[in-house]
Each structure stands twice: as structure tokens, then as C-alpha cells.
Amino acid sequence: MQVHQQLRQALQVGKLAHAYLLAGGSEEERRSQALYLATVLNCSNRQDGEPCGRCLSCRQMAGGNHPDFYLIEPSGASLKIAQIRELQDRLALQSYQGGARVAVLAGADTMTEAAANCLLKTLEEPPEGAYLLLLAAQPDRLLPTIRSRCQELHLEGKMAVAPVGGRYWERLVMADLQVIMTEVLPELEKEEELPAVLAGMALACRDQLVWQMTGTARLLLQRGTPSAPALTPARLWAAFQAIQDTLAALEHNANRRLALEVLMFKFCAQGGV
């Protein structure tokens, strides 16, 4: 069942949770589902679990000025404790329009530990009529105590994979820092579909890790056996995680150049990955 259908069904039967964790898919897809729920919760004329799109509340949501809707986004690279405390103060107030108060935490997986521990209090004792929607590209980064207090829903988005990513991977494992910073990095920065290129790099890294550990070609996701030099599984795993971190950073609107530089330095710190 799709996330949209799950949320609509829960709303119709009166079993909506006070806290949801929306994971998977793209940032746009996660936000779309969160906005749907925020809109339909306050719609004065919803039908079959769908907002009417015409009432005052629906128009306010469409215009981005609903007084009972709060969108919290990372400040810099992370969601910080001050943002969570401000949200708690807002949720402690009565609804401005007598309906539900809905808070969307975009980039919830970037929360600092202090912010996460602060949010726990609200998740454990949610204010009456308040709903929290946590959006996460990498839900495994969240504290287990946070995840256990949310109903988790996964979107089924698929990331495009650019074959050129495999060629970048082979160059990176062969190059030294000077070549990486003067040749590979400038080329990567100019790639129009950078997430797809990084996904291709991650796939090549994954196949090399599987090949290195098993030597079994049928477990590989790409045709042929990896041609890059043999690296230790520990280095391959560290490289794979570094690529995933970069993808998550870009999804949260990190500076492209800085995100790629961090990735390149991580590669070099691992000794040529």
C-alpha cells in the first residue's frame, strides 16, 4: 500500500498516529506527503480523505501561510536544539483556528543528539491536537528512541543511476590527492545530474565490496567483475558510507562544492579510498 493510501485510510478510520517518520523516496516526495496530511487535517470540507482545496485552510496551506502549520528545516547542516525548543513553545499554544497543529521536521536525520533528546519529550507526551511529521533520507541516523515513538512509513522512490559514476569511481581509487582535487573534483562539480553520478559511484563501490568479500559474480548488480585495484572491505565500506553521506547532504541543499570536497578528503584519508 502506498504511503498516501496508508495516511488516508488511517485518517478515515480515526487511527491517525500523532507522530510519523516518512523515509525513503526523494525529499520532494516526502514533503508532498507531509503537506497532504497537514492540509487534509485542517480542511473543513474534506471528502474521502482528500482536502477540498477551496476552504480557507486549504488556501492558506497552498499559500504557505497557515498559522497552525510549522515547517522546521536544518539550520546549516543540522536541526538544532534551539529549533526544537521553539517548536515546543509553539505547540504548547492553542490552535489559532481551532483545528490541528502540524509540525514537519525536514531533514530529521540531521538532528543533533541534543535536539533529538529534546524532541523525545514531545514525542512521549504529544500536546492535544498536535501532529509531528519527521522526514528522513537516512532514517538509520535517527536515535532508536526517536524511531520507536513514530509510526514509520516508507516511500518507494528510486534514484537514477548514471553509468559514468563507475568511471569516476575507478579514477578515484587510482588517483592521489593532487589529481583528485585538480582534475576529478572540478569535473564532478560540473555534472548536471550529480546525485545520479554519485549513485553510480556507490553502486560500483558496492559491487567491489561484494566481489572482494565473496568472489561471486552472480551477487553483483552490474555486469562484469570490478576492475579497480583490490581494497580492503573496511576501506570500501567507509567509501560507500561517505558517498551516501554526500547524497544525503546534497538532498538537504548542502553546498555542492563543499560536499564534494568533504567526500574527496574522506577518500584520501582512507588511503586512496
Side-chain angles (χ1 to χ4, degrees):
M1 185 185 297
Q2 293 183 349
V3 167
H4 186 88
Q5 292 174 303
Q6 289 175 287
L7 291 172
R8 185 173 64 178
Q9 187 177 77
L11 184 68
Q12 289 177 311
V13 300
K15 293 186 177 180
L16 202 65
H18 283 282
Y20 283 96
L21 170 58
L22 302 184
S26 66
E27 177 72 8
E28 182 180 359
E29 290 169 326
R30 292 190 293 272
R31 290 199 185 206
S32 175
Q33 292 305 319
L35 289 173
Y36 152 73
L37 186 57
T39 302
V40 76
L41 275 169
N42 281 300
C43 177
S44 60
N45 190 35
R46 65 175 180 246
Q47 296 180 346
D48 297 324
E50 296 294 335
C52 70
R54 299 182 300 275
C55 68
L56 172 63
S57 177
C58 284
R59 295 199 306 272
Q60 288 174 323
M61 283 297 301
N65 59 0
H66 197 293
D68 293 316
F69 174 73
Y70 313 109
L71 173 61
I72 314 301
E73 300 180 285
S75 174
S78 62
L79 284 174
K80 298 178 172 58
I81 188 171
Q83 294 176 280
I84 303 302
R85 285 175 175 163
E86 182 182 355
L87 174 62
Q88 290 172 330
D89 290 341
R90 291 182 178 181
L91 292 179
L93 301 174
Q94 293 294 318
S95 167
Y96 284 94
Q97 296 185 173
R101 287 156 295 153
V102 183
V104 174
L105 280 72
D109 46 344
T110 71
M111 270 190 295
T112 64
E113 186 173 352
N117 286 325
C118 184
L119 181 65
L120 273 175
K121 300 176 183 178
T122 302
L123 292 175
E124 290 169 351
E125 299 179 11
E128 185 71 24
Y131 297 86
L132 281 83
L133 307 174
L134 281 64
L135 315 185
Q138 295 182 289
D140 290 343
R141 288 181 170 271
L142 287 165
L143 292 178
T145 46
I146 292 285
R147 294 185 70 173
S148 67
R149 286 164 175 78
C150 299
Q151 184 168 328
E152 201 162 325
L153 300 177
H154 285 263
L155 288 87
E156 299 179 353
K158 294 183 178 179
M159 179 176 288
V161 176
V164 70
R167 295 194 287 276
Y168 274 111
W169 168 255
E170 292 186 5
R171 291 174 64 190
L172 282 169
V173 298
M174 298 282 290
D176 57 23
L177 179 59
Q178 181 178 355
V179 172
I180 287 175
M181 299 304 290
T182 60
E183 297 180 17
V184 182
L185 176 59
E187 291 179 33
L188 260 178
E189 191 179 8
K190 294 177 182 177
E191 289 287 350
E192 292 186 5
E193 301 296 332
L194 183 57
V197 173
L198 291 173
M201 288 172 56
L203 181 58
C205 178
R206 177 265 179 204
D207 272 5
Q208 192 174 353
L209 177 60
V210 171
W211 177 253
Q212 190 75 3
M213 295 185 70
T214 69
T216 305
R218 62 182 175 80
L219 297 178
L220 303 180
L221 297 179
Q222 299 185 51
R223 300 178 66 178
T225 57
S227 57
L231 301 170
T232 66
R235 286 183 174 180
L236 289 167
W237 177 242
F240 182 81
Q241 287 185 306
I243 298 170
Q244 296 299 321
D245 288 345
T246 305
L247 280 166
L250 292 173
E251 190 169 356
H252 293 130
N253 299 317
N255 180 279
R256 172 185 284 230
R257 173 75 185 197
L258 291 179
L260 286 174
E261 283 186 354
V262 170
L263 177 61
M264 299 300 107
F265 285 131
K266 284 182 178 179
F267 279 168
C268 294
Q270 288 292 323
V273 180

